[in-house]
Amino acid sequence: MSFVSNAVMTGFSTGTALQIITGVLKDAPGYKPEGPNKLYQLGNWLWHIGDWQLAATLTALATIGVWAAARTVKRLEPVALLIARVTVSVTVVLLAADVELVRDIASIPAALPSFTTPDLSAAPHLLRGAVSVALVALAQAAGIAPCMPDPDGTPSDINGDFRSQGYANLAGGLFQALPSGGSLSRTGVAVPDGARTRWAGVVSGFFLALVVLLCGPLAERIPMPVVGGLILVVGGELIRGKRHDILLVLRISWMSAGAMVLTFVAATRLPLQQAVILGAALSLILYCAQAARQAKLVALVRTDDGRRRTAEPVAALPPGEVTVLDHAGSSFFAEPPRIEDQLPAPTGPAARC
């Protein structure tokens, strides 16, 4: 992932955040948008505002409003999401509002998954899907580090993150776990709630197990518009956090901006694994183009003490003199045409041969 440019990662991360938002558009106002891609679905969702369910819409808006109000109080800012979730959920129950609940989608069993021996005979049929899921998980993990740097300023160890994900999936596969990896939405929830280290994931997993074992029926009563409203907040905060990177890429060059926009569009129109591969290819093209533009010829001029210094090459080779030229660049195959244009023109009898 070190070879994927920042512009491409910015487009991919923003597109993934938009996917998070579009994934809960139905839950927030109770209207499921239609369309071939995420951008079209977002437009369809806004266009059919008249089809939104009143109770679900008011519940989602109340969730966002309570969250915003809690964030205005410094001490309540880390638990703003929790306050919004509990307050609005209890209010919906007391008012007996007609909104979709978690239990309308699926039940939460009061038990943890048991140990299961994997069926290795199915491995050849699952290989392609497993590689695709791994690409998406690793790309999201690599995209989280720039969005959420470590509080102490130390650079994140991408290789360590990748190894940890591999160990987690090997162990989770023995207990019927879904594929795990870095998650922009989960990180977007954890950091505003006060998470500072990776132990936040371990602690949240422990409490999630307690909720499943002890409070499964209670968790089933959480309104889906509350979940949708909170995820809309998380996705919006993720996009808001990328605004500085987006503006920086737009100011750097039109090529980087084009790669960012193309990756963003791909992340909203294509499966994420294909968007990752496209982003890697765009990064390679950007590198080739930038390497070719860096090709330059310099002249090596002898100084009085016998050493040589670099200088701009002369426009024409003077007759009877030795001119030493050096190539500054990466010796990329796309550079020869640019170097040929920079070669000094020969003069004198040799020029007429």
Side-chain angles (χ1 to χ4, degrees), residues 255-288:
M255 292 183 61
S256 297
M260 178 185 67
V261 173
L262 186 57
T263 307
F264 169 77
V265 173
T268 59
R269 297 180 63 91
L270 301 175
L272 285 180
Q273 66 270 18
Q274 296 181 14
V276 172
I277 296 175
L278 177 62
L282 287 175
S283 296
L284 178 60
I285 294 174
L286 280 178
Y287 169 77
C288 295

Side-chain angles (χ1 to χ4, degrees), residues 161-298:
D161 291 343
F162 286 5
R163 288 192 299 269
S164 300
Q165 291 181 62
Y167 300 150
N169 283 297
L170 285 175
L174 301 176
F175 295 92
Q176 309 173 48
L178 292 172
S180 62
S183 171
L184 284 172
S185 58
R186 188 170 64 247
T187 305
V189 171
V191 173
D193 282 352
R196 292 295 178 266
T197 68
R198 291 170 178 82
W199 278 101
V202 178
V203 173
S204 64
F206 173 76
F207 280 99
L208 178 60
L210 291 181
V211 170
V212 171
L213 292 174
L214 304 177
C215 308
L218 187 61
E220 291 179 357
R221 297 178 65 87
I222 297 177
M224 289 305 299
V226 172
V227 178
L230 293 178
I231 297 301
L232 287 177
V233 167
V234 171
E237 286 291 291
L238 289 173
I239 294 178
R240 179 174 173 271
K242 300 298 295 182
R243 66 188 186 281
H244 297 298
D245 293 333
I246 294 173
L247 293 176
L248 177 62
V249 172
L250 292 176
R251 289 197 300 263
I252 289 176
S253 69
W254 66 269
M255 292 183 61
S256 297
M260 178 185 67
V261 173
L262 186 57
T263 307
F264 169 77
V265 173
T268 59
R269 297 180 63 91
L270 301 175
L272 285 180
Q273 66 270 18
Q274 296 181 14
V276 172
I277 296 175
L278 177 62
L282 287 175
S283 296
L284 178 60
I285 294 174
L286 280 178
Y287 169 77
C288 295
Q290 292 175 357
R293 294 170 60 183
Q294 292 173 356
K296 184 179 180 181
L297 284 180
V298 295

Side-chain angles (χ1 to χ4, degrees), residues 68-80 192 196:
R71 281 182 60 89
T72 60
V73 182
K74 190 65 176 179
R75 292 185 177 182
L76 299 181
E77 186 175 355
V79 292
R196 292 295 178 266

Side-chain angles (χ1 to χ4, degrees), residues 6 9-17 139-150 156 158 183-185 187-188 191 237-245:
N6 179 65
M9 286 305 304
T10 299
F12 177 78
S13 300
T14 308
T16 304
Q140 287 202 54
I144 292 173
C147 299
M148 304 290 181
D150 292 336
S156 59
I158 299 297
S183 171
L184 284 172
S185 58
T187 305
V191 173
E237 286 291 291
L238 289 173
I239 294 178
R240 179 174 173 271
K242 300 298 295 182
R243 66 188 186 281
H244 297 298
D245 293 333

